Amino acid sequence: MAKVTLLGEHSINPVEMASHAGRACYESDMPSIGDGKMIDVKNRLFVPGHHTTLEHAPHHFTFAMEDISISTITFGFHLSHPFYNSDQRSGRFSKMYENPDMGEIESRIHKYFPNENPSDALKFIESGIKIFQANKDNLTDIAAETLRAERPFVSDKYIEQNAKKMAQEQLRVFISTIAPTAMDHTINIVTLAALWRTAHTPEMRDTVAQMVAAVRSKYPETEHMFDKSVAAKPENDWAPTAYKFKLDDGKVRTSPELKLRNIDIYDCIVNPNARDTVDVLKFTPETMTNNLSSIRVDAEMSIMTMGQDQRHRTIERGEPIFTGDFYLPPLLAKAGLITPAEKFRNDFWNLPNPMHLRTMIAPYGMMMHYGKRINLNALLHEQAKRLCWCAQEEIYNLNIQLMQQLGAKGHHDIVTEMMPHCAKYGKCCEGARFCGRDMSVWKNGNDGFKVRGI
């Protein structure tokens, strides 16, 4: 089960820090920490909603979360609030692939869904693991061949190190997101108070309760922020809805989909020449007008790539919906896994379990639909990361579609600015992770952007 440890240790009590911030607003002289003077933080700051006073660095809390399910992060912690910083264990280091603990998975289902019979869900999860294990060696060989063809300047050592990784990245579409992972998660106390009120899945509520207990134990003065009467209750549980579809209507897809819905662009498109990889777009006055220009898109992608997409916190997103489709990456299609994927998809939608449980055990490959609104600064930051060939295949190909559609609408200036660091400045910033492709294609403009198989 999820285990939470509070890592952040700060020398200033968060209530004392909030008092200092409040007094700085309300007094003519700057107050001093430890001068013995405190304002009523509960009634003058917290209850009236003067919450900026509770957001200062000495009381950002860092939690180490171990054995928390991927689905609880994707459909919980990372879904609904951008006020966080987190670093999540890469999926390729999951214990679920090689040596899954099905007993622990069963215990997790029993704990969070005590009224459900887990047998069908467990059989489904095991069937995906078997597909992964039966195909991993063949997929590694196919990945190695594809790397040699796609990236002529990589070494044999690079291929040896990356073929297995890339095969695993694509094969994990058959792995359930109930798989345990870990992350460091840093939030301020107001965000924690909000999560206490809105945690919307069973495991998320349990995890937030541990976070609150750790903070209250160390800082009992914060107790008023976490009144049990306002804590999230089981009746507030949320799960994505699904498109209304007949089982036979759904399909296995080998490409994500992005549709450009609306473009609201002002004249100013500024992207300062980069001295390094630090994103300065949000910090320079001349780029502020970029915040007023935006695009609106509808996107369909796997849960796997939805988790990648959520890392860009300055992008606004709508509520996700299951489309009914299943994503099969190119290497897997090449390996002849379309028919097993079709059966796997049908088995998921035939499960008798309610949507809340199916969301928790959904495999990485199930596809989601949601809208995105992206201002130009957020877009330029996103594309610099996702149009790099070191990005994962699906999210790269998704953003290729965006670039192509913007170009078709005549926004070539934006397309030019969207190019990754290597295309703009002639230098790869990935160091030893250089992708090894033929960089001379950039002499022909955008011809270097093409759909990737890996």
Side-chain angles (χ1 to χ4, degrees), residues 162 232 248:
N162 285 276
D248 294 339

Side-chain angles (χ1 to χ4, degrees), residues 40-103:
D40 185 346
V41 169
K42 176 181 178 181
N43 292 307
R44 291 192 64 188
L45 302 180
F46 187 79
V47 173
H50 191 174
H51 291 165
T52 55
T53 59
L54 301 165
E55 295 175 354
H56 293 282
H59 52 282
H60 275 69
F61 299 99
T62 300
F63 300 94
M65 299 183 182
E66 179 70 26
D67 290 332
I68 184 171
S69 68
I70 293 160
S71 54
T72 294
I73 294 175
T74 303
F75 293 107
F77 282 95
H78 286 179
L79 177 71
S80 56
H81 68 103
F83 310 108
Y84 69 87
N85 179 51
S86 66
D87 287 278
Q88 183 181 345
R89 176 182 292 152
S90 173
R92 65 181 182 272
F93 295 107
S94 173
K95 302 170 186 175
M96 191 78 167
Y97 304 136
E98 306 296 339
N99 188 28
D101 185 345
M102 293 305 298

Side-chain angles (χ1 to χ4, degrees), residues 143-161:
E145 293 173 4
T146 306
L147 279 170
R148 288 190 180 93
E150 207 176 63
R151 309 180 184 198
F153 298 118
V154 295
S155 65
D156 290 340
K157 182 179 179 181
Y158 178 98
I159 292 173
E160 181 181 352
Q161 290 175 336

Side-chain angles (χ1 to χ4, degrees), residues 256-312:
E257 184 174 356
L258 184 140
K259 293 181 180 178
L260 184 60
R261 292 296 189 193
N262 185 58
I263 303 174
D264 184 15
I265 301 297
Y266 287 76
D267 293 335
C268 181
I269 302 173
V270 178
N271 191 6
N273 288 337
R275 301 185 187 91
D276 54 24
T277 56
V278 175
D279 184 357
V280 299
L281 288 169
K282 293 289 187 182
F283 298 86
T284 54
E286 63 266 34
T287 63
M288 291 179 69
T289 305
N290 287 344
N291 294 326
L292 302 178
S293 298
S294 64
I295 62 172
R296 166 75 165 80
V297 302
D298 286 341
E300 295 184 15
M301 67 190 80
S302 69
I303 295 173
M304 173 176 62
T305 293
M306 176 180 168
Q308 293 277 316
D309 189 53
Q310 287 174 330
R311 296 184 182 185
H312 299 279

Side-chain angles (χ1 to χ4, degrees), residues 336-377:
L337 292 179
I338 291 179
T339 298
E342 289 173 340
K343 180 180 184 305
F344 189 68
R345 174 210 165 266
N346 292 345
D347 288 346
F348 177 76
W349 288 114
N350 278 321
L351 287 171
N353 309 107
M355 188 60 77
H356 293 87
L357 176 53
R358 276 196 278 181
T359 298
M360 190 171 193
I361 69 167
Y364 273 116
M366 296 310 302
M367 296 193 75
M368 310 300 300
H369 169 274
Y370 53 90
K372 298 170 63 175
R373 184 166 59 224
I374 316 170
N375 70 57
L376 281 185
N377 281 333

Side-chain angles (χ1 to χ4, degrees), residues 206-227:
D206 178 38
T207 306
V208 171
Q210 293 184 57
M211 297 161 72
V212 168
V215 171
R216 285 178 57 178
S217 176
K218 184 170 181 63
Y219 301 110
E221 305 93 326
T222 65
E223 182 174 355
H224 66 272
M225 302 180 192
F226 307 107
D227 185 339

